[in-house]
Amino acid sequence: MNPLETFYEIIDDLKDGGKVKLVYERRAKQICIIKERNLNIKNIYEILKNENLPYVPEIYRLVEFEGKLFVVEEYIPGQTLEELLQYDETFSENYAADIIRQIAESLMILHAYDIIHRDIKPSNIMLTKDGVIRLIDFGISRIAKDDSDTDTRYLGTRGYAPPEQFGFGQTDARSDIYSLGVLSQRLLGKNYNGWLKKIIDRCTQFDPEKRYNSAEDLLKDFDRLRWKENLKQLKKNPAPDVSEEELDFEGKVDGMIEALQTLDTMTDSYNEVAENDPLRAKLIEKGAWATAEEFTKLAKSLTPEEFKEIFATQKALEEIMNDDDSETDSETVSEPDKKN
């Protein structure tokens, strides 16, 4: 008898022919998920359980029985991206960008533990009611290997898995980056041609050497390109008509920045701006993280003097961005060399 049957009451079979079940834990009086997995990925689930990583459901316990691994994990209320796409064929740019950034952050964390997910796709990503993503399936994940030329098993979802996952090479962090690029295109639609297109194109290069080397590199490019897009949107708006009595500007910025992670660095020039003008540096950070609507709202809350200060550095910032663009473009292959 499966030892789990003593403590859990099965509510429903969810997928994989009964290998994923929705259950009720009698002792804790809570809903959980139980997944039947192969023992060869126990080491991955042990990392997830012991480290309690963000963007991943909490792993409550791991049970071995009759040569199988049973994973008891947190039940995440919400919908998968696949389910959400059934209502809307594509997502808005801002909505998709926030999701893409979260997935990239989750991959950066996983890759720091040498975990390659290998199945990034809409049905494996849950979006909670608070708008936070969760990666919900590590069934074919693996620990990165440096001493092998190809994967021993060809696994993954065609269309989302990179070429190397089907015998063309060894999977590594860049394989998940490829899948994220395909997923991003799916969220935005095949005809999308906005600021995220550069990121999608680089993620989905056939040759792993021409993709981002890491999720961290992807995130840096994401922040830089988002800032440029927000700057363009800001320039389209007239100077705000704000009275001198609207006070506590710095407090407003601090309140919005507080809930966001701090941007590490953009360039040496940015560091110099941050050292000499902390207020302006905060605005640059906000520009990298905010949606265009949020940044425009921020701009309209400035006094005329503060607004002019932002544009006083605009030319220098654009030169920094253009310099970075030339580096990025030089690493991007021409369209005939690209295969999806």
Side-chain angles (χ1 to χ4, degrees), residues 59-272:
I59 308 299
Y60 295 134
R61 58 188 58 86
L62 303 173
V63 178
E64 291 185 41
F65 179 70
E66 294 184 348
K68 295 289 184 181
L69 175 69
F70 292 89
V71 181
V72 183
E73 66 180 47
E74 175 188 9
Y75 167 69
I76 306 293
Q79 292 180 294
T80 66
L81 295 186
E82 187 68 39
E83 291 169 334
L84 291 170
L85 284 165
Q86 293 176 4
Y87 298 100
D88 297 299
E89 293 185 1
T90 60
F91 291 171
S92 71
E93 186 179 74
N94 288 331
Y95 189 31
D98 289 338
I99 292 171
I100 292 165
R101 197 183 203 294
Q102 288 186 65
I103 298 173
E105 285 180 347
S106 72
L107 292 179
M108 183 175 68
I109 295 167
L110 289 176
H111 296 166
Y113 289 88
D114 291 329
I115 297 174
I116 312 301
H117 189 279
R118 297 205 300 173
D119 206 15
I120 298 294
K121 60 182 180 179
S123 61
N124 281 343
I125 297 170
M126 185 77 73
L127 194 66
T128 70
K129 294 179 180 178
D130 296 329
V132 179
I133 69 108
R134 292 286 189 276
L135 300 182
I136 60 173
D137 196 340
F138 287 80
I140 64 169
S141 300
R142 62 186 287 275
I143 298 295
K145 301 176 183 177
D146 296 326
D147 57 352
S148 179
D149 294 329
T150 60
D151 281 3
T152 54
R153 300 178 66 194
Y154 305 151
L155 298 170
T157 303
R158 289 196 179 274
Y160 289 93
E164 61 268 24
Q165 209 156 314
F166 295 99
F168 287 91
Q170 176 69 17
T171 53
D172 57 22
R174 297 168 299 180
S175 304
D176 283 343
I177 288 170
Y178 178 97
S179 300
L180 175 55
V182 177
L183 181 145
S184 301
Q185 190 73 71
R186 174 72 180 87
L187 297 182
L188 292 160
K190 62 181 180 179
N191 296 322
Y192 172 77
N193 197 33
W195 64 272
L196 284 162
K197 187 71 164 61
K198 282 187 177 182
I199 292 175
I200 293 171
D201 286 347
R202 188 165 177 187
C203 286
T204 54
Q205 294 296 323
F206 185 92
D207 183 353
E209 295 293 331
K210 294 174 180 175
R211 300 174 201 155
Y212 292 104
N213 287 325
S214 66
E216 184 177 7
D217 287 345
L218 189 161
L219 285 165
K220 288 180 179 178
D221 211 20
F222 180 101
D223 288 344
R224 181 180 61 83
L225 291 171
R226 194 171 208 178
W227 158 250
K228 286 190 68 175
E229 177 62 22
N230 289 338
L231 185 61
K232 290 178 185 176
Q233 297 298 324
L234 183 59
K235 287 170 67 176
K236 292 178 181 178
N237 291 282
D241 182 17
V242 180
S243 71
E244 296 290 340
E245 278 69 39
E246 189 155 355
L247 304 175
D248 195 27
F249 166 76
E250 190 161 359
K252 291 179 189 175
V253 176
D254 283 335
M256 286 184 285
I257 296 285
E258 187 177 356
L260 303 173
Q261 295 184 24
T262 301
L263 188 65
D264 292 334
T265 56
M266 288 172 60
T267 63
D268 290 340
S269 300
Y270 167 77
N271 292 333
E272 186 177 344

Side-chain angles (χ1 to χ4, degrees), residues 28-52:
K29 297 182 179 181
Q30 66 178 0
I31 303 295
C32 307
I33 298 290
I34 293 182
K35 296 178 178 179
E36 179 185 326
R37 293 290 180 246
N38 292 322
L39 274 173
N40 62 357
I41 60 170
K42 182 180 178 182
N43 57 340
I44 290 174
Y45 276 104
E46 285 177 336
I47 293 172
L48 299 180
K49 179 177 184 295
N50 295 334
E51 299 298 330
N52 195 21

